[in-house]
């Protein structure tokens, strides 16, 4: 070293330097206060065993101690932390988890395709599928926990289900079954841009009949309603990536049906499973078509998109009642057989729940 040595590390976060005296044996002395620094040392520092550059010890010449000046970052204070936007942190973490889930789902889909093509893998495919569904559900529960505060403050029907991928393992199940019905109205909000075909928004299967009540748009076919495996083609056009409200009414007398999109009747017909009552004690699934009771899903028939406010009545709603639902009128009714509520829905395989309020978030 020369008379004074100053080594300045590169600036870190734009903070001020801190200086230390150097000797051939040790580093001694107190550091400068915040904002101090400059040539020869910091303001307000006391020196031991070497003195200050401007002073000397009695009885002889003073050899200034070499000094090392380094830049240290200042830690954030608790007050600074408290000013951080907690909702931004939550959203960032939620986005990170969602990206990891998306990647996992892609890997899962690839793995499932490999297994189905018979290219090897575990012998017990059912056990492997359960493990996959458990892992995905666990990750989505972590996302749900981040939204807990939001959920606690929202009504039980202000949510939507999202099915981001066309798989044979992602679905939701309605906890309640249907009673025997001689008429019904089923309504919901849908948003999808999937092609060809948006898939199966819902299916209801009973012992001995997997197609007791199904709404499906498969391949290049128009959307269809199936009752006891009998089919009627519906005039819906909904795969434009926008929210649409749809309703289908039906009565067993002459099998008369009507179809409504966005509050307006777009089609009607008759002889759809006439005099066949909807059978009770079945399984109601959202997002998949059942080939067996509660299962037998086919990825090509899976619904891809978002679904909300799924309601069922055991009667035919009037055009005015349907319009009230589509326009979110205060007079809008909830289903007297199946009413849309978080407590009524179980999700599997990576389907997610998000906050949704009809007529405020549409399009």
């Amino acid at each position: 070293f020369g008379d004074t040595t100053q080594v300045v590390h590169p600036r870190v976060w734009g903070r001020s330097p801190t200086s230390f005296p150097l000797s051939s044996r040790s580093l001694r002395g107190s550091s400068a206060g915040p904002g101090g620094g400059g040539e020869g040392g910091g303001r307000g520092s006391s020196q031991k065993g070497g003195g200050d550059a401007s002073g000397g010890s009695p009885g002889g010449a003073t050899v200034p101690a070499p000094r090392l000046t380094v830049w240290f970052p200042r830690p954030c204070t608790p007050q600074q932390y408290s000013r951080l936007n907690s909702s931004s942190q939550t959203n960032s973490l939620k986005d990170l988890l969602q990206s990891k889930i998306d990647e996992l789902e892609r890997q899962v889909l690839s793995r499932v395709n490999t297994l189905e093509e018979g290219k090897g893998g575990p012998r017990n495919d059912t056990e492997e599928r359960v493990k996959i569904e458990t892992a995905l559900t666990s990750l989505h529960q972590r996302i749900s926990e981040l939204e807990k505060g939001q959920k606690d403050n929202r009504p039980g029907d202000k949510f939507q289900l999202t099915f981001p991928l066309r798989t044979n393992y992602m679905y939701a199940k309605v906890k309640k079954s249907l009673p025997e019905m001689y008429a019904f109205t089923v309504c919901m909000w849908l948003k999808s841009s999937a092609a060809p075909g948006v898939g199966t928004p819902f299916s209801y299967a009973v012992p001995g009949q997997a197609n007791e009540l199904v709404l499906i748009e498969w391949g290049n076919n128009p959307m269809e309603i199936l009752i006891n495996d009998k089919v009627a083609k519906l005039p819906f056009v909904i795969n434009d990536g926008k929210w649409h409200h749809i309703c289908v009414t039906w009565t067993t007398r002459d099998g008369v049906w009507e179809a409504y999109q966005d509050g307006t009747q777009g089609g009607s017909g008759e002889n759809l499973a006439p005099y066949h009552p909807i059978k009770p004690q079945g399984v109601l699934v959202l997002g998949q078509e059942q080939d067996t009771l509660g299962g037998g899903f086919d990825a090509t028939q899976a619904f891809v998109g978002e679904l909300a406010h799924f309601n069922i009545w055991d009667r035919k709603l009037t055009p005015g009642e349907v319009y009230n639902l589509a326009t979110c009128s205060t007079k809008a009714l909830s289903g007297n057989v199946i009413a849309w509520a978080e407590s009524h829905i179980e999700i599997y395989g990576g389907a997610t729940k998000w906050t949704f309020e009809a007529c405020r978030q549409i399009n």
Side-chain angles (χ1 to χ4, degrees):
F1 296 96
D3 291 341
T4 302
T5 300
Q6 184 181 43
V7 180
V8 181
H9 285 229
R11 182 177 295 273
V12 180
W13 299 344
R15 301 302 186 190
S16 301
T18 299
S19 301
F20 296 98
L22 291 176
S23 71
S24 61
R25 296 182 181 178
S26 63
L27 270 173
R28 296 186 295 177
S30 61
S31 62
E39 292 294 328
R43 292 194 297 267
S45 63
S46 62
Q47 306 297 332
K48 296 183 181 179
D52 187 83
S54 62
S57 60
T62 299
V63 178
R67 306 182 66 80
L68 172 66
T69 302
V70 296
W71 298 88
F72 286 99
R74 293 179 185 172
C76 292
T77 66
Q79 291 78 10
Q80 289 172 315
Y81 278 118
S82 67
R83 289 194 296 266
L84 293 175
N85 188 320
S86 60
S87 63
S88 297
Q89 292 175 333
T90 299
N91 289 336
S92 297
L93 180 55
K94 185 170 67 177
D95 292 343
L96 176 60
L97 287 173
Q98 186 64 54
S99 67
K100 291 182 178 180
I101 288 169
D102 291 342
E103 176 60 27
L104 179 58
E105 287 172 346
R106 285 191 289 270
Q107 295 175 12
V108 168
L109 183 58
S110 176
R111 179 63 171 166
V112 169
N113 289 336
T114 299
L115 292 173
E116 291 176 345
E117 292 171 4
K119 296 182 180 179
R123 296 180 180 179
N124 193 337
D125 289 352
T126 301
E127 182 179 350
E128 183 73 9
R129 180 64 53 77
V130 170
K131 291 179 180 179
I132 290 169
E133 290 186 359
T134 300
L136 290 172
T137 300
S138 176
L139 287 172
H140 284 291
Q141 285 174 346
R142 292 174 64 185
I143 290 180
S144 297
E145 289 172 0
L146 296 175
E147 295 185 300
K148 186 176 185 301
Q150 186 181 38
K151 283 185 177 180
D152 290 343
N153 296 323
R154 77 185 182 206
D157 64 340
K158 305 299 184 184
F159 76 102
Q160 68 181 51
L161 297 179
T162 299
F163 304 92
L165 298 173
R166 200 183 291 278
T167 73
N168 63 353
Y169 56 83
M170 189 179 298
Y171 66 102
K173 181 179 177 182
V174 180
K175 296 179 182 179
K176 184 180 178 181
S177 184
L178 300 182
E180 185 174 61
M181 296 189 298
Y182 294 85
F184 70 77
T185 300
V186 57
C187 297
M188 71 202 78
W189 285 93
L190 292 177
K191 179 181 179 181
S192 180
S193 56
V198 301
T200 308
F202 80 92
S203 64
Y204 176 68
V206 297
Q209 179 53 273
N211 295 328
E212 183 67 8
L213 178 57
V214 182
L215 183 67
I216 183 171
E217 184 181 272
W218 186 26
N220 293 315
N221 299 311
M223 186 165 281
E224 300 171 335
I225 183 93
L226 284 75
I227 299 177
N228 192 32
D229 223 10
K230 306 302 187 292
V231 182
K233 298 184 183 300
L234 304 177
F236 297 146
V237 179
I238 61 171
N239 64 339
D240 57 1
K242 298 180 180 180
W243 281 104
H244 294 283
H245 185 264
I246 63 170
C247 286
V248 178
T249 71
W250 172 86
T251 62
T252 187
R253 183 180 178 87
D254 296 327
V256 175
W257 61 270
E258 296 173 347
Y260 295 81
Q261 179 170 330
D262 298 325
T264 302
Q265 182 177 334
S268 63
E270 57 184 13
N271 293 321
L272 175 59
Y275 305 103
H276 170 83
I278 302 299
K279 295 179 181 179
Q281 305 305 315
V283 177
L284 181 56
V285 168
L286 305 178
Q288 294 283 354
E289 194 273 333
Q290 303 171 67
D291 285 336
T292 60
L293 187 65
F297 304 147
D298 182 345
T300 64
Q301 297 175 329
F303 174 69
V304 180
E306 298 163 69
L307 182 152
H309 290 268
F310 179 85
N311 288 273
I312 297 180
W313 294 259
D314 59 1
R315 64 180 180 86
K316 175 183 174 181
L317 294 189
T318 67
E321 290 172 327
V322 172
Y323 183 80
N324 287 340
L325 290 165
T327 56
C328 303
S329 168
T330 56
K331 299 179 181 179
L333 303 172
S334 294
N336 67 336
V337 174
I338 299 295
W340 187 243
E342 286 196 67
S343 59
H344 297 169
I345 304 293
E346 295 176 330
I347 58 175
Y348 299 91
T352 56
K353 294 179 182 179
W354 302 101
T355 297
F356 172 79
E357 190 165 356
C359 300
R360 290 192 179 182
Q361 292 181 227
I362 58 175
N363 306 332

